Amino acid sequence: MDFRCRVHILFFICFLTRLCFVGRYLDSCDSIDFAFGLHDYDLSLLQPHFPGYPVYMVASLLFFKLSHQDVWSLVMPGVLFGSITMYPLSLLTRQLFSERVAILTAVLYLTNPLCWLQAERPTSDAMGLFFVISATYFLYCVFKLKVLRLPPSKAAEEADITLTTRCISKRYGCLSDRNYLFLGSLFLGFGLGVRLSYFPFIALWMGILLYLAIISRCIVTASE
């Protein structure tokens, strides 16, 4: 079976299993603040509490327009985005290791009790995880594309190792490194809008920018 088909199947299993066991109660003070925010978004009244979770609240408000049920509206972003996490997670793992490891990682994510629980609660954890993993995948693609497109070393030339544009596009897609950098930055920004506690991941973004700056400077120096 094709890799994509297996990931699609795991996504549907993940979505259906989460959907069957969604939470029915506001189980914490944070979720109560989120519920108040659905009716009257006001940070000064802790509806919700700081930093406001704007991306998560917008997604919950869209579901609230459909159902007018507080708990269901707060849970569904976690169910949906927690299931979609299967895609960037499997793609990232495939780039790092292999397709077999990627499928195993997706299965472990599917059956992980903590990930399962967080996707069924009226909180923003599962939704934030999707944006963070997606940002990591896009930023890793930037790094990998830059490495592959560097001028070949003397050892590589002697071994006749060449990578065509077609080869690179087949493995990493048709997007350029700038597009991947933009998407990685965008998704990381969305992730911070879902949960500010994911702020340490900005170190990865800064590391990629520093790497790109060093590579660009080395290429300019070599050309001179």
Side-chain angles (χ1 to χ4, degrees):
M1 186 182 296
D2 183 61
F3 174 77
R4 293 182 180 180
C5 292
R6 285 181 286 179
V7 175
H8 291 331
I9 291 173
L10 289 173
F11 161 74
F12 283 113
I13 294 175
C14 185
F15 180 76
L16 292 176
T17 51
R18 268 62 168 171
L19 192 62
C20 290
F21 298 98
V22 293
R24 299 182 179 180
Y25 306 98
L26 300 174
D27 58 1
S28 65
C29 296
D30 291 348
S31 59
I32 294 174
D33 293 340
F34 291 142
F36 280 129
L38 291 176
H39 300 275
D40 183 18
Y41 188 88
D42 191 342
L43 267 65
S44 64
L45 300 176
L46 299 180
Q47 298 178 189
H49 54 284
F50 180 83
Y53 306 87
V55 177
Y56 172 66
M57 290 304 300
V58 168
S60 299
L61 281 170
L62 293 177
F63 284 105
F64 185 71
K65 296 293 183 180
L66 297 175
S67 66
H68 299 285
Q69 297 179 6
D70 295 352
V71 180
W72 188 85
S73 302
L74 293 171
V75 171
M76 281 308 296
V79 172
L80 179 60
F81 286 92
S83 302
I84 299 176
T85 302
M86 196 73 68
Y87 292 103
L89 179 63
S90 59
L91 290 173
L92 176 61
T93 313
R94 184 177 66 168
Q95 301 293 354
L96 291 170
F97 303 102
S98 64
E99 291 188 1
R100 180 177 297 181
V101 176
I103 294 299
L104 177 60
T105 303
V107 172
L108 291 175
Y109 172 80
L110 170 65
T111 57
N112 185 283
L114 179 60
C115 296
W116 196 326
L117 176 64
Q118 294 295 346
E120 297 170 348
R121 297 179 61 238
T123 59
S124 60
D125 299 83
M127 185 179 182
L129 184 64
F130 162 75
F131 285 110
V132 167
I133 292 181
S134 298
T136 304
Y137 167 69
F138 289 129
L139 292 175
Y140 177 77
C141 287
V142 175
F143 169 77
K144 203 65 178 179
L145 284 172
K146 274 296 183 183
V147 169
L148 292 176
R149 287 170 178 165
L150 284 176
S153 63
K154 184 177 181 180
E157 289 178 351
E158 291 176 354
D160 195 22
I161 298 174
T162 57
L163 284 171
T164 64
T165 304
R166 184 178 179 182
C167 265
I168 296 174
S169 298
K170 184 177 180 180
R171 184 166 180 82
Y172 296 96
C174 299
L175 297 180
S176 66
D177 47 3
R178 291 185 179 180
N179 290 331
Y180 278 123
L181 179 60
F182 170 76
L183 289 174
S185 305
L186 180 65
F187 274 70
L188 183 59
F190 279 130
L192 296 179
V194 176
R195 285 192 68 83
L196 194 59
S197 57
Y198 290 126
F199 183 80
F201 279 90
I202 202 170
L204 173 63
W205 178 75
M206 295 176 65
I208 292 295
L209 291 181
L210 179 62
Y211 172 78
L212 294 178
I214 293 174
I215 290 297
S216 300
R217 185 173 182 180
C218 290
I219 292 175
V220 170
T221 304
S223 62
E224 292 178 351

